[in-house]
Amino acid sequence: MNAKTPIVGAVDELRRYVRARRAAGERIGLVPTMGALHAGHLSLVDAARQAADRVIVTIFVNPAQFGPNEDFARYPRTLAADVEKLCSVAADLVFAPSVDEIYPPGFSTKVVLEGPATADLEDRFRPTHFSGVATVVTKLLNQAQADVAVFGEKDYQQLLVIKRLARDLDIATEILGAPTLREADGLAMSSRNVYLSREDRERAKQLHGEMSEAARHILKGENIGAATGAARDALTVAGFEVDYLEARHAETLAPVSSLAGGPMRLLVAAKLGATRLIDNIAVQS
Ligand code: PAF
C-alpha cells in the first residue's frame, strides 16, 4: 500500500509544496481534473510522471464552465474514492480547493477566447463553457507554476484551447495532450458515463464505432461530407441526438474538405437521453 497522498485546499499550501520541491531540483507535473476519477485520469497521472518528478492532481468541479441548465449540481463528487485511486498511482499531492478559494468574493475576471474556442463545435452548444474552462485553467496554471500540465485528448477542442491560451498568455508551463482511454467496446472513458442507463450504455459504443467507420471511408477516398453524414444518420437511427459530427483540421479545427489539407480529426457530440457524450478520433492510417 502506498503512503496516503496528501490533500491541500489552499493556494498558499500548494505554492509552498511547489517551492520546496523546486528547491530540491525537482520538476513538477500538474493534472487538472474535476474528480470522479477513472482509469483515463490515472493515465494522465502516468503521462505527467513521464515528464516530471512530482505529480500534483487538482480536483475542482468548476462552476464557471457549466451552463445554467447543465449538470453542475449532480456532477459526481467522489473525493475520498478519488484520493484512494491517486494513492494507488502514487500521485504526490492533491489540490482540492473550495469554490471560495478559487472564486473569492469580488472575483471579476474572465478569460475571453477566440481561435479554437470559436470553432463552432462545443462552443455552438455550450457558449460560456470555454471561457469558464480557460479562466480556471489559467488560475490553476498560475497557482501551481508547474513545468508541465497534462490534459486528455478526449476533450480535444478544450486541449487546443488550453494550448492556445498558454501560448497567448505566456504561461511557462508546457501543455501536453494524452491519448483517450477506452472501455473494451470502444466507449471513451468519461466521468459522465455513470449517467447512462443500462440500455444507453450498450448503445453508447456505437459512437466510437460509427466514427471509426467514417474515418475508414475517408481514408479510402470517400467524400468527407458523405462519410460524416452517413455516421450522423446511423447514430440518429440508433437513438442518438447528434449535436455535431464533423471533420476538422487537427491543429486549427478549421473545416476541411480533403485529406490533402493536413492532419484531420473527427469530432462528435451526441446525446443519449439526458447524457451528452463527446469523442474524437484522428483520421490516419
Ligand atoms: O477537463 C476537465 O476535467 C476540466 O474541464 C478542467 C480542465 C479540469 C477544467 O476544469
Side-chain angles (χ1 to χ4, degrees):
M1 184 68 190
N2 294 299
K4 195 143 170 66
T5 303
I7 311 180
V8 299
V11 175
D12 281 356
E13 295 170 288
L14 170 68
R15 289 206 159 129
R16 214 171 307 130
Y17 175 87
V18 172
R19 263 200 306 274
R21 299 324 325 160
R22 274 265 162 68
E26 293 177 343
R27 273 172 64 81
I28 309 293
L30 189 75
V31 180
T33 79
M34 297 205 300
L37 302 182
H38 49 66
H41 293 111
L42 303 185
S43 75
L44 304 183
V45 175
D46 288 343
R49 166 107 38 232
Q50 306 294 313
D53 303 297
R54 299 282 167 178
V55 179
I56 302 171
V57 178
T58 75
I59 298 181
F60 179 64
V61 185
N62 173 34
Q65 70 189 74
F66 290 80
N69 299 316
E70 294 182 358
D71 56 344
F72 174 67
R74 72 170 184 138
Y75 196 84
R77 287 160 172 87
T78 56
L79 185 61
D82 290 347
V83 174
E84 285 292 311
K85 289 176 189 165
L86 292 172
C87 290
S88 76
V89 291
D92 294 287
L93 187 76
V94 175
F95 176 52
S98 64
V99 172
D100 265 8
E101 183 71 12
I102 296 292
Y103 301 116
F107 184 87
S108 359
T109 302
K110 272 186 191 162
V111 177
V112 178
L113 304 154
E114 292 176 4
T118 56
D120 202 26
L121 293 165
E122 280 301 284
D123 48 300
R124 193 185 333 152
F125 297 89
R126 307 184 72 192
T128 58
H129 173 66
F130 286 125
S131 174
V133 169
T135 303
V136 83
V137 168
T138 302
K139 284 177 66 81
L140 294 169
L141 293 174
N142 281 334
Q143 288 162 353
Q145 304 279 314
D147 295 281
V148 1
V150 182
F151 297 84
E153 285 182 354
K154 155 84 169 44
D155 296 295
Y156 194 78
Q157 189 178 5
Q158 168 176 283
L159 174 63
L160 295 191
V161 168
I162 293 168
K163 284 187 168 171
R164 185 75 253 171
L165 91 81
R167 268 201 301 275
D168 289 351
L169 300 181
D170 303 311
I171 292 172
T173 306
E174 183 188 0
I175 308 297
L176 298 178
T180 303
L181 244 64
R182 297 183 181 280
E183 305 290 354
D185 63 4
L187 178 66
M189 289 187 187
S190 162
S191 305
R192 290 187 166 100
N193 291 349
V194 297
Y195 297 155
L196 292 166
S197 67
R198 209 146 54 95
E199 276 169 15
D200 284 345
R201 171 63 192 82
E202 179 54 28
R203 266 189 211 139
K205 65 182 178 205
Q206 293 180 59
L207 201 59
H208 182 245
E210 291 302 335
M211 294 279 279
S212 306
E213 187 66 10
R216 267 193 298 275
H217 284 290
I218 293 169
L219 285 169
K220 274 201 254 156
E222 189 176 310
N223 174 278
I224 293 171
T228 52
R232 259 196 302 274
D233 290 349
L235 289 173
T236 305
V237 168
F240 288 81
E241 190 186 319
V242 181
D243 282 349
Y244 59 82
L245 190 160
E246 294 194 23
R248 294 294 181 97
H249 190 285
E251 285 152 16
T252 63
L253 295 184
V256 284
S257 53
S258 93
L259 274 170
M264 190 187 292
R265 203 96 192 169
L266 292 181
L267 300 103
V268 67
K271 287 201 236 23
L272 268 178
T275 306
R276 189 165 181 278
L277 302 172
I278 65 171
D279 200 356
N280 65 87
I281 57 171
V283 182
Q284 64 191 13
S285 38

